[in-house]
Amino acid sequence: MTETSVRVRFAPSPTGYLHIGGARTALFNFLYARNTGGKFLLRIEDTDTERSSRAMIQQILDSLKWLGLDPDETPVLQSENIHKHKEAVKKLLEEGKAYRCFCSKEVLDAERDRANKENRSYRYSGQCRNLTEQQILQNLQENRPYTVRIRIPEEGLTRFKDMVFKNIEIQNREIDDFIIMRSDGTPVYQLAVVVDDASMRITHIIRGEDHLPNTAKQIHLYLALGYPVPRFAHVPLILAPDGKRLSKRHGATSVGEFKDMGFIPDGFINGLVHLGWGVQGNQTVFTRDDLIRLFKLQDISKKGAVFDIKKMIWINGQHLSLKTAEELYTAVTSVWIKAGLLDEEKIESEKLRITEAIDLLKSRMKLLNDFVEFGRYIFVDPVSYDPAAIEQRWTNQSVPVLIEAYAESLKTLTPFTAEALEDSLRNVAESHHENAAILIHAVRLAVTGFSVSPGLFRLLAFLGRETVLQRLNNSLEYIKSNNVILRG
RNA sequence: GUCCCGUUCGUCUAGUGGUCAGGACUCAGGACUUUCAUUCCUGCAACAGGGGUUCGACUCCCCUACGGGAUACCA
């Protein structure tokens, strides 16, 4: 790769869990890097020590790992770069591109309040913009606290071409001489990002639309510091169903919660990518490789997207059927273990059998947790039967007779295969002058407890003679002892 | 308030001057002489409003409305 090769970063602040919005930003960065053969980096913006925590950093790292969005280089901690930030401020000060501001916070706040009350837009008065050497010296000698402000040109226009939002123009007079270093000597975010992105040699900044208005400010910093200005791509925000911005306080769900719901990474990512990205054609389900191949920043929409969990679940189901039972093995067995249906040893000892069970079920599942709810009967006899199904499938008076006859025939059936099981069932039905469907439904309910399941005969073959006979007998008993009303 | 941005079916989106405005989710029907939670088919449903420009606007321009973001010694 040449030195112009793409370097992008995801820069979360560890003040909370990684949620859907952050995950999507990380994903877009990752896809862009992979699509262009560039590097995907991670920087933790932990300068707000009050709100940041180690635990949160770990959570974010874990979530990214689960999503398969591993950074290509060691993650950078912003807090470790403070000396660089301070140096940059010093340099700006020396070159006169920034200046010390001795106005107190109280005075500033009061001015802002007044402006708001009078419905004027607030701007810094510029009090300290042109202090003389003399005045500055005197203030310093008096030990008056100061912040440092960047000097923004009073005239002119700042413009840049956003890769999503196209041409953006902002009048310089709209940009305040914003603070880049606090009175306690710590640099402010706006300065820190610019210095960090430059030192990480970031070529493309892909981030949320909420940073769009910050961009002009940052461009002035790049210019003042003599750094090359990177390209920007702002992605629209994700909205809650009421159209409001999705936030921690308002409907945002952490990545961990989606994992717990039973999403698999590829399904989740595919769902995520539809929030603000679309490509010509009718494809909805994309593998990771598809996305890497097709992803273009130009195809990101400018409109905020409302998050739709139903579609997300459907997409996850598509991925579940797309994957092989082997690929799903670890994920599915772990939910089964958690549900107490399996234990660790069997994962190894019954690998073949479990793989077959997954294969039987997977095309009908939407979330991993469905394997527990709808896959129970793979491991244990039904302890109850769906009441609606009882009403529908067991109330025919010939049901007990049919089940009994079928059970009888299964005692000696060889081989115990799907084909043989089906032939046998049809024979039983026919010899009793009944429709095979009646028996099929009755048996399914007996064996699974549900009115729905994978193909019945394959399932019976899988469960084996002993289990099937046991469950058929159980059902007979249930029908008898619970006085299931029989009608002709 | 000011600045910036946006507005195609309920939702996610395709569409860049001439299309019956396409697809997906959801929902409703139907098919698969075995169920559906799989699969397939069918149906419902959209260019925010008003002005221009043009032979012709969802597509270009302006205005209005609505929505979002930003306006911190937070990130």
Side-chain angles (χ1 to χ4, degrees), chain A residues 325-337 347 358 368:
Chain A
E326 286 78 14
E327 288 172 316
L328 257 18
Y329 196 79
T330 310
V332 176
T333 50
S334 79
V335 298
W336 275 341
I337 287 173
I347 291 184
I358 294 172
L368 285 174

Side-chain angles (χ1 to χ4, degrees), chain A residues 403-426:
Chain A
I403 290 180
E404 201 158 359
Y406 190 44
E408 194 55 40
S409 83
L410 295 190
K411 283 180 183 162
T412 54
L413 186 73
T414 16
F416 201 78
T417 59
E419 298 73 36
L421 283 157
E422 177 161 8
D423 287 345
S424 168
L425 182 140
R426 291 187 188 280

Side-chain angles (χ1 to χ4, degrees), chain A residues 12 26 73 77 80 105 142 160 180 189 327 338-339 369 379 403 406 427 431 476:
Chain A
E73 292 176 8
L77 285 182
E80 289 173 359
K105 191 170 184 345
E142 287 170 14
F160 62 98
I180 57 176
Y189 164 79
E327 288 172 316
K338 211 175 289 172
N369 296 357
F379 305 99
I403 290 180
Y406 190 44
N427 283 336
S431 64
L476 252 16

Side-chain angles (χ1 to χ4, degrees), chain A residues 297-463:
Chain A
L297 291 173
Q298 288 77 1
D299 292 328
I300 293 175
S301 125
K302 293 195 268 264
K303 184 188 158 195
V306 173
F307 173 62
D308 179 10
I309 185 78
K310 283 195 176 143
K311 187 166 186 173
M312 194 107 178
I313 289 173
W314 178 84
I315 289 171
N316 197 64
Q318 295 296 305
H319 282 268
L320 248 19
S321 9
L322 232 48
K323 301 246 180 226
T324 64
E326 286 78 14
E327 288 172 316
L328 257 18
Y329 196 79
T330 310
V332 176
T333 50
S334 79
V335 298
W336 275 341
I337 287 173
K338 211 175 289 172
L341 294 169
L342 255 187
D343 53 62
E344 297 281 352
E345 290 141 45
K346 287 189 179 153
I347 291 184
E348 280 310 315
S349 62
E350 298 196 22
K351 194 156 194 162
L352 269 177
R353 189 172 166 71
I354 295 171
T355 304
E356 200 187 334
I358 294 172
D359 195 51
L360 217 46
L361 294 166
K362 74 183 178 72
S363 71
R364 285 150 199 267
M365 306 290 119
K366 290 204 168 89
L367 296 168
L368 285 174
N369 296 357
D370 293 343
F371 281 91
V372 173
E373 190 176 350
F374 299 112
R376 234 193 167 81
Y377 51 78
I378 293 291
F379 305 99
V380 294
D381 296 347
V383 290
S384 67
Y385 304 98
D386 174 15
I390 291 176
E391 176 64 26
Q392 206 185 354
R393 304 306 187 192
W394 280 356
T395 48
N396 186 312
Q397 66 174 213
S398 47
V399 160
V401 183
L402 286 169
I403 290 180
E404 201 158 359
Y406 190 44
E408 194 55 40
S409 83
L410 295 190
K411 283 180 183 162
T412 54
L413 186 73
T414 16
F416 201 78
T417 59
E419 298 73 36
L421 283 157
E422 177 161 8
D423 287 345
S424 168
L425 182 140
R426 291 187 188 280
N427 283 336
V428 169
E430 201 177 325
S431 64
H432 286 78
H433 308 290
E434 286 290 358
N435 196 322
I438 294 175
L439 222 201
I440 288 169
H441 292 302
V443 170
R444 167 177 293 112
L445 181 55
V447 166
T448 67
F450 295 108
S451 62
V452 295
S453 78
L456 180 65
F457 301 109
R458 228 189 121 191
L459 180 64
L460 295 180
F462 171 82
L463 290 171

Side-chain angles (χ1 to χ4, degrees), chain A residues 162-176:
Chain A
D162 189 274
M163 290 173 85
V164 174
F165 283 88
K166 308 305 171 199
N167 297 310
I168 307 287
E169 291 186 349
I170 291 170
Q171 298 290 337
N172 286 341
R173 73 177 116 80
E174 299 293 339
I175 306 170
D176 224 354

